[in-house]
C-alpha cells in the first residue's frame, strides 16, 4: 500500500529471468552507445507502465521523434550532426511503457534542467518500485535525461505552460501582481502526488474526480493535466466560481492563496461532491534556491516573453512601446557596428567605394527576425533612423514605459537578443531559444546596446561580446572558449551551431558572424560518444615568410593551386580540436581570429585605376607576405609588452597576394586577426590597425587608401 491508503501500481525488473535476458542485449548495446547505465534505461522503461499518459500525447511523442531529420555532413569538420540511429529514444519508443516514460521526461526536460528533472524522477520511480535495490540514482537518471533531452525538448511543453500562464494572469489578480514573467515549477512531492492521483483516476474503480488546490504553480499543473490526460481541467477561481468549463473532464484545479508557493493539495472523490481522501504534498525548498522557476527551450516568437510581464496593463503598454521604438533601436545599434573608422577620406581626395564589414545581416534580415519574435502576429515597421539629436527614450510610448523601474534595461536586453538572434537568420524555422527568468544578469553586449541607445556611445563592439550573447541565448555554455578565442562550434540542447563563414564560398561584408544551426548532436566518425565543443588549439604556428617579388600594381595571386585545409581531431571525450592551415606547409592558426580581423576590415570595391594600365612599381614601402605570416612575432615579443617586435616594420604595408582564392584570404585574415588577439586584451576593435580587403581595386589606390586610414595590411 502506498501512503494514504491508495493502491499504487508497481514495476519490477526481476519478474522473469528469461524475459530479462531476451531484452538485455538490446538495452546493454544501446546504453553502451549512449554512455548511460543499462539499469537506468531498463528501470525507466518498466516505470513507464505505471504512468497515466493518454494515447493522444503518446502518439504526439512518437510522431515528433520519428520525423526528426537524418544526420548532415559538416564539410570542414568531416563530422556529422543529427540524430544517430539505434539510440535510447528509439529503444524506449518500441513499447507503450517506454513511450509513456518519454512523455513524462519530455514534460520535465522541457521546463527545467536535467539535474532538477532527475531529482524529481528519483523519488517517483522509487515510490512505484517493487524492489528499491535496482532503482537508479538521481545522478544516473540525469545522465539518461541528457541523452534524451536533444530529442524531447522540442516537444513544446514549456510553450503550453507559458500560454496557460497568460490565461491565468488574465483571470486572477494574484498572477497580475507578478512583475516578472516567471512560472513556478511545482515541488517534486507535488508532482509525485499528482501522478499517483492520475493513476488512480485512469484505472477502473469508483473514483469519480480529482480536485487540485494550487497556488502559483497553477500554469504548469494546468498544462500537465492536459498533457497527461488529453484534455484541460475544469478551473475555479479563488472564490470557487467556475471560470473554465471542460465537458467530460474529471480533474478540477482550484486557485488557492493559502498554500506554500510550490505545493498542491489534492482531493480524491469517489462520488460527485463527496470528499474521499486528501493528499497534501510536503513542500520543501530545493537546495541553494528559494523558488524553482520553469526554464527551457522555446520558439523565437516567445522571445519577448523574457522581457515583458504576463498579460497586464504593463504588458500592453510595453508591447506598444516596443512596436514604436524597436525599428529605431535596431537600426541605431546595427549602424553603430559598421561606422567608417575615418571621416576624412573624401577630404583627402580619395573617392573609392568602400564598405565596413558588419557582424549582423542586412536590414531586411534583422527586420524579419524582429517580426518573428512578436508572438501576437504583429508586423514591425521597417528599420529606420532617428532624426539628428533625437533619443530613442524620448519617443512618447517608450518614455512612458521605461519610466517604470527596470523597463529600460528590459528593452535594451530585448534589442540585444533580437540582434544576436539575427545571426541565425537563415535558420529561424529550426532554432530554439532559452527561456529563463528575466532577472538574469546583463551581458557585455546588452550593456553595449544600452550605452549606444542611452548616450549615443561610439565605443566599438567586440566580436566576443556578440557571440557570447548569441550562444547564451541558445544555452550553449562556451564563454571560456569564446574569451580564449578557441571556439569553433558547439553542440548542446539538440542544436549544433558553428559559424557559416567556415563553409562559405566568399567573404561577406554583412553578417560575417552569421551562425548555422543543425538539429541533433555532433558525432565524429571515429568517436562512440557525442561531442559538445569544437575547439582550436591553444597555440598556433605561424611563419615569418616575406616573399621576394617585384611589387607591381596588379593585385595578383602568388600561390596558384594552393588551398586551405581543415584538420579535425578528437581532443577529449566530449570535444573536437580543429585547425586551419594550408597545403603549402604545416603552419596553422585559430579560425576564431578571422572574426577579430573582419571587425577591423574596410572592404574596397573598385577604384579609378581599375580600367587603366597600372605602373610596374608603385611603392618601395610595401612587402608581399604569405597567407600564413603574421606581421608580429609572438615568440620574440616579451610578456606584457606592446606590439614592438614586428616581422614587418611598422612603416611597411604588408600585402597578402591571394586574389581569387577566398580560402587563402580566410587564412590571411586569421593571421592578421591573431595580431589583434594578442594586443587587444578586451580593448575596442578601433584601438587596432584597420585591414583593407580588396575586391576589384588596383594596388596604387589601395596603398594610398591605407596611408590615409593608417592601415597596415592589404589582403588582395
Amino acid at each position: 500500500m502506498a501512503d494514504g491508503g491508495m493502491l499504487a501500481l508497481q514495476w519490477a525488473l526481476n519478474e522473469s529471468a528469461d524475459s530479462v535476458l531476451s531484452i538485455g542485449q538490446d538495452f546493454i548495446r544501446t546504453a553502451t552507445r549512449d554512455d548511460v547505465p543499462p539499469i537506468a534505461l531498463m528501470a525507466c522503461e518498466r516505470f513507464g507502465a505505471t504512468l497515466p499518459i493518454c494515447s493522444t500525447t503518446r502518439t504526439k511523442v512518437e510522431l515528433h521523434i520519428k520525423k526528426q531529420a537524418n544526420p548532415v555532413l559538416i564539410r570542414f569538420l568531416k563530422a556529422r550532426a543529427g540524430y544517430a540511429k539505434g539510440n535510447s529514444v528509439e529503444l524506449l519508443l518500441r513499447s507503450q511503457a517506454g513511450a509513456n516514460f518519454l512523455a513524462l521526461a519530455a514534460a520535465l526536460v522541457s521546463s527545467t534542467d536535467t539535474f532538477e528533472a532527475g531529482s524529481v524522477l528519483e523519488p517517483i520511480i522509487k515510490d512505484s518500485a517493487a524492489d528499491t535495490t535496482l532503482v537508479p540514482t538521481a545522478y544516473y537518471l540525469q545522465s539518461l535525461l541528457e541523452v534524451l533531452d536533444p530529442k524531447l525538448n522540442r516537444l513544446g511543453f514549456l510553450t503550453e505552460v507559458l500560454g496557460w500562464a497568460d490565461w491565468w494572469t488574465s483571470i486572477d489578480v494574484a498572477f497580475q501582481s507578478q512583475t516578472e514573467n516567471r512560472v513556478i515549477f511545482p515541488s517534486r512531492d507535488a508532482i509525485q502526488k499528482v501522478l499517483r492521483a492520475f493513476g488512480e483516476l485512469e484505472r477502473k474503480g469508483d473514483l469519480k474526480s480529482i480536485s487540485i488546490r494550487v497556488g502559483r504553480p497553477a500554469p504548469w499543473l494546468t498544462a500537465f493535466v492536459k498533457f497527461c490526460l488529453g484534455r484541460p481541467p475544469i478551473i475555479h477561481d479563488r472564490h470557487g466560481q467556475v471560470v473554465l468549463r471542460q465537458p467530460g473532464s474529471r480533474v478540477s484545479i482550484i486557485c488557492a492563496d493559502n498554500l506554500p508557493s510550490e505545493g498542491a493539495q489534492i482531493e480524491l472523490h469517489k462520488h460527485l461532491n463527496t470528499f474521499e481522501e486528501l493528499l497534501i504534498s510536503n513542500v520543501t525548498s530545493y537546495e541553494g534556491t528559494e523558488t524553482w522557476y520553469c526554464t527551457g527551450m522555446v520558439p523565437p516568437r516567445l522571445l519577448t516573453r523574457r522581457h515583458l510581464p504576463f498579460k497586464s496593463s504593463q504588458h500592453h503598454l510595453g508591447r506598444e512601446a516596443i512596436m514604436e521604438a524597436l525599428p529605431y533601436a535596431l537600426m541605431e545599434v546595427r549602424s553603430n557596428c559598421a561606422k567608417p573608422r575615418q571621416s576624412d577620406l573624401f577630404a583627402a581626395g580619395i573617392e573609392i567605394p568602400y564598405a565596413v564589414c558588419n557582424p549582423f545581416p542586412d536590414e531586411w534580415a534583422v527586420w524579419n527576425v524582429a517580426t518573428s519574435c512578436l508572438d501576437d502576429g504583429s508586423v514591425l515597421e521597417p528599420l529606420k533612423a532617428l532624426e539628428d539629436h533625437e533619443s530613442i527614450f524620448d519617443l512618447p510610448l517608450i518614455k512612458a514605459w521605461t519610466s517604470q523601474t527596470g523597463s529600460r534595461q528590459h528593452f535594451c536586453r530585448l534589442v540585444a537578443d533580437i540582434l544576436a538572434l539575427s545571426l541565425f537568420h537563415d535558420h529561424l524555422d529550426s532554432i530554439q531559444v532559452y527561456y529563463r527568468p528575466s532577472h538574469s544578469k546583463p551581458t557585455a553586449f546588452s550593456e553595449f546596446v544600452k550605452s549606444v541607445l542611452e548616450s549615443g556611445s561610439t565605443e566599438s563592439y567586440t566580436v566576443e561580446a556578440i557571440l557570447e550573447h548569441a550562444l547564451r541565448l541558445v544555452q550553449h555554455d562556451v564563454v571560456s572558449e569564446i574569451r580564449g578565442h578557441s571556439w569553433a562550434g558547439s553542440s548542446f540542447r539538440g542544436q549544433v551551431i558553428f559559424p557559416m563563414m567556415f563553409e562559405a564560398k566568399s567573404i561577406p561584408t554583412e553578417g560575417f558572424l552569421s551562425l548555422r544551426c543543425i538539429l541533433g548532436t555532433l558525432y565524429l566518425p571515429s568517436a562512440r560518444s557525442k561531442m559538445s565543443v569544437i575547439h582550436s588549439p591553444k597555440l598556433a604556428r605561424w611563419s615569418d615568410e616575406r616573399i621576394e617579388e617585384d611589387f607591381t600594381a596588379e593585385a595578383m595571386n602568388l600561390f596558384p593551386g594552393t588551398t586551405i585545409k581543415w584538420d579535425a581531431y578528437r581532443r577529449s571525450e566530449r570535444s573536437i580540436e580543429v585547425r586551419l592551415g594550408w597545403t603549402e606547409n604545416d603552419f596553422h592558426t585559430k579560425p576564431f581570429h578571422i572574426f577579430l580581423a573582419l571587425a577591423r576590415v574596410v572592404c574596397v570595391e573598385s577604384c579609378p585605376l581599375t580600367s587603366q594600365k597600372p605602373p610596374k612599381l608603385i611603392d618601395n614601402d610595401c612587402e608581399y607576405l604569405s597567407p600564413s605570416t603574421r606581421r608580429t612575432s609572438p615568440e620574440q615579443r616579451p610578456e606584457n609588452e606592446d606590439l614592438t617586435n614586428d616581422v614587418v616594420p611598422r612603416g611597411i604595408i604588408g600585402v597578402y597576394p591571394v586574389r581569387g582564392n577566398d580560402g587563402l584570404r580566410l587564412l590571411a585574415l586569421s593571421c592578421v586577426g591573431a595580431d589583434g588577439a594578442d594586443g587587444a586584451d578586451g580593448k575596442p576593435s578601433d584601438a587596432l590597425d584597420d585591414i583593407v580587403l580588396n575586391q576589384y581595386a588596383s594596388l596604387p589606390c589601395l596603398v594610398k587608401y591605407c596611408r590615409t586610414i593608417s592601415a597596415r595590411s592589404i589582403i588582395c
Side-chain angles (χ1 to χ4, degrees):
M1 283 287 182
D3 296 340
M6 291 175 62
L7 181 63
L9 282 179
Q10 294 184 323
W11 59 271
L13 289 177
N14 57 353
E15 295 174 356
S16 166
D18 292 338
S19 63
V20 172
L21 289 174
S22 66
I23 64 172
Q25 289 186 346
D26 287 343
F27 277 89
I28 292 173
R29 187 184 304 112
T30 303
T32 302
R33 183 183 297 114
D34 285 343
D35 196 22
V36 297
I39 192 69
L41 196 57
M42 296 177 68
C44 290
E45 193 261 352
R46 297 298 179 87
F47 163 65
T50 69
L51 293 174
I53 304 296
C54 68
S55 59
T56 302
T57 296
R58 196 162 47 244
T59 301
K60 180 180 178 181
V61 172
E62 293 174 359
L63 293 176
H64 171 76
I65 292 172
K66 290 179 179 178
K67 73 177 182 180
Q68 291 171 345
N70 293 324
V72 176
L73 177 65
I74 303 176
R75 295 192 303 272
F76 81 96
L77 280 179
K78 301 179 180 64
R80 292 189 178 274
Y83 301 101
K85 299 294 184 182
N87 53 40
S88 298
V89 175
E90 291 183 353
L91 180 65
L92 290 170
L93 206 58
R94 297 192 316 190
S95 68
Q96 181 172 304
N100 285 348
F101 175 76
L102 288 175
L104 175 61
L108 295 177
V109 300
S110 295
S111 53
T112 189
D113 62 43
T114 54
F115 175 81
E116 293 166 338
S119 300
V120 169
L121 279 177
E122 182 188 27
I124 299 176
I125 294 177
K126 184 176 181 180
D127 181 69
S128 62
D131 182 2
T132 59
T133 60
L134 298 177
V135 173
T137 63
Y139 175 81
Y140 286 140
L141 289 170
Q142 177 192 354
S143 299
L144 176 59
L145 291 173
E146 287 178 352
V147 172
L148 304 180
D149 173 74
K151 280 199 170 187
L152 298 181
N153 67 42
R154 308 182 71 86
L155 201 61
F157 179 75
L158 183 56
T159 302
E160 293 287 330
V161 172
L162 295 177
W164 281 110
D166 277 344
W167 186 89
W168 273 99
T169 305
S170 67
I171 62 101
D172 191 273
V173 67
F175 289 93
Q176 291 177 2
S177 64
Q178 298 181 54
T179 58
E180 303 287 353
N181 51 355
R182 295 173 284 178
V183 179
I184 298 292
F185 192 89
S187 70
R188 64 189 70 170
D189 194 63
I191 296 174
Q192 179 182 3
K193 295 295 194 300
V194 167
L195 282 172
R196 284 177 54 196
F198 288 174
E200 286 292 307
L201 190 64
E202 289 296 294
R203 290 191 288 274
K204 292 182 179 180
D206 55 359
L207 187 63
K208 298 297 183 181
S209 62
I210 300 173
S211 296
I212 304 174
R213 295 183 181 274
V214 67
R216 290 179 64 190
W220 193 95
L221 284 172
T222 305
F224 192 62
V225 170
K226 183 178 183 296
F227 188 78
C228 290
L229 304 182
R231 65 180 67 196
I234 301 168
I235 298 179
H236 303 254
D237 63 16
R238 63 187 62 253
H239 305 295
Q241 299 294 321
V242 176
V243 291
L244 181 64
R245 298 184 183 276
Q246 291 294 328
S249 179
R250 299 163 65 191
V251 179
S252 297
I253 288 185
I254 304 168
C255 186
D257 54 8
N258 58 347
L259 291 175
S261 63
E262 298 173 353
Q265 181 174 296
I266 304 168
E267 298 177 3
L268 308 181
H269 304 275
K270 283 190 176 180
H271 301 286
L272 293 178
N273 301 321
T274 62
F275 172 80
E276 168 60 24
E277 183 175 1
L278 182 67
L279 295 174
I280 301 179
S281 62
N282 298 317
V283 181
T284 56
S285 294
Y286 292 95
E287 295 182 6
T289 59
E290 295 181 0
T291 308
W292 197 351
Y293 295 109
C294 291
T295 60
M297 309 303 290
V298 296
R301 62 183 176 81
L302 298 181
L303 190 66
T304 52
R305 300 287 188 96
R306 294 165 29 132
H307 308 287
L308 287 171
F310 289 121
K311 301 296 184 183
S312 63
S313 58
Q314 290 186 16
H315 176 97
H316 296 301
L317 174 60
R319 182 167 292 278
E320 292 177 2
I322 286 172
M323 294 294 293
E324 174 192 52
L326 200 54
Y328 298 105
L330 292 172
M331 175 66 89
E332 185 168 348
V333 178
R334 184 188 177 280
S335 300
N336 185 277
C337 293
K339 287 182 177 178
R341 308 304 200 275
Q342 302 289 333
S343 59
D344 58 346
L345 297 176
F346 288 94
I350 301 179
E351 299 183 4
I352 299 178
Y354 68 93
V356 179
C357 287
N358 197 312
F360 301 110
D362 58 50
E363 295 173 15
W364 184 90
V366 174
W367 170 87
N368 187 51
V369 171
T371 299
S372 70
C373 293
L374 304 174
D375 62 331
D376 61 353
S378 302
V379 177
L380 195 70
E381 291 187 16
L383 272 59
K384 48 192 173 183
L386 284 168
E387 298 292 335
D388 291 340
H389 310 298
E390 191 175 4
S391 169
I392 291 285
F393 297 107
D394 288 336
L395 296 173
L397 293 177
I398 199 73
K399 185 175 183 179
W401 181 52
T402 56
S403 63
Q404 303 167 10
T405 304
S407 296
R408 178 174 292 196
Q409 185 71 36
H410 284 310
F411 178 73
C412 294
R413 291 189 195 180
L414 176 61
V415 173
D417 282 355
I418 292 175
L419 285 170
L421 190 62
S422 73
L423 301 184
F424 300 97
H425 60 95
D426 283 342
H427 306 279
L428 282 182
D429 293 338
S430 57
I431 196 75
Q432 287 203 123
V433 299
Y434 181 53
Y435 182 90
R436 64 184 184 275
S438 55
H439 61 271
S440 55
K441 295 181 180 179
T443 65
F445 181 58
S446 66
E447 289 296 292
F448 164 77
V449 169
K450 188 170 182 286
S451 68
V452 171
L453 296 182
E454 285 187 340
S455 60
S457 171
T458 58
E459 179 182 349
S460 295
Y461 69 93
T462 64
V463 165
E464 298 90 337
I466 295 174
L467 283 176
E468 184 179 325
H469 190 104
L471 292 167
R472 183 177 292 182
L473 198 62
V474 292
Q475 208 186 8
H476 280 224
D477 185 13
V478 288
V479 173
S480 60
E481 287 80 7
I482 290 174
R483 294 179 181 177
H485 301 159
S486 64
W487 180 82
S490 45
S491 173
F492 296 96
R493 302 307 301 266
Q495 299 183 139
V496 180
I497 293 171
F498 58 89
M500 293 180 67
M501 178 73 72
F502 294 168
E503 292 193 325
K505 295 181 179 180
S506 60
I507 300 174
T509 57
E510 292 186 317
F512 69 80
L513 280 184
S514 294
L515 300 172
R516 183 179 179 186
C517 175
I518 301 175
L519 302 187
T521 52
L522 181 66
Y523 293 88
L524 274 178
S526 59
R528 183 193 68 189
S529 58
K530 66 179 182 180
M531 304 288 107
S532 296
V533 181
I534 308 169
H535 296 269
S536 52
K538 292 183 178 179
L539 298 177
R541 297 184 61 193
W542 295 274
S543 66
D544 56 0
E545 184 178 1
R546 299 161 71 177
I547 303 169
E548 300 297 332
E549 290 278 347
D550 290 337
F551 197 84
T552 68
E554 297 177 356
M556 64 182 69
N557 183 358
L558 296 182
F559 305 94
T562 306
T563 60
I564 61 168
K565 62 177 181 178
W566 295 88
D567 294 320
Y569 309 92
R570 184 175 179 177
R571 178 177 177 180
S572 67
E573 187 67 22
R574 295 288 185 181
S575 65
I576 299 173
E577 180 175 291
V578 61
R579 302 176 179 183
L580 175 61
W582 63 327
T583 55
E584 185 77 9
N585 53 43
D586 62 349
F587 295 107
H588 59 266
T589 184
K590 294 183 178 182
F592 193 96
H593 291 158
I594 295 170
F595 306 120
L596 301 182
L598 285 170
R600 297 150 48 202
V601 158
V602 177
C603 185
V604 177
E605 299 173 2
S606 62
C607 73
L609 290 180
T610 302
S611 59
Q612 301 176 14
K613 185 177 180 180
K616 292 184 178 180
L617 186 66
I618 63 169
D619 202 316
N620 292 324
D621 294 331
C622 298
E623 289 194 13
Y624 285 131
L625 303 176
S626 81
S628 63
T629 301
R630 286 183 57 172
R631 293 190 54 101
T632 60
S633 175
E635 291 80 7
Q636 298 175 1
R637 185 169 61 251
E639 188 175 1
N640 300 324
E641 189 170 309
D642 292 333
L643 303 177
T644 55
N645 297 298
D646 295 344
V647 172
V648 181
R650 182 164 286 274
I652 300 295
I653 295 176
V655 179
Y656 295 87
V658 291
R659 182 168 186 171
N661 191 326
D662 279 312
L664 294 186
R665 281 151 68 98
L666 282 180
L667 183 62
L669 282 169
S670 183
C671 288
V672 179
D675 293 332
D678 288 338
D681 193 25
K683 296 178 183 177
S685 299
D686 58 359
L688 303 167
D689 294 323
D690 286 340
I691 304 160
V692 172
L693 184 65
N694 182 32
Q695 295 289 11
Y696 306 107
S698 65
L699 285 180
C701 289
L702 292 174
V703 171
K704 187 177 181 181
Y705 187 92
C706 284
R707 299 292 183 210
T708 304
I709 66 173
S710 301
R712 300 177 61 206
S713 302
I714 298 174
I715 300 176
C716 295

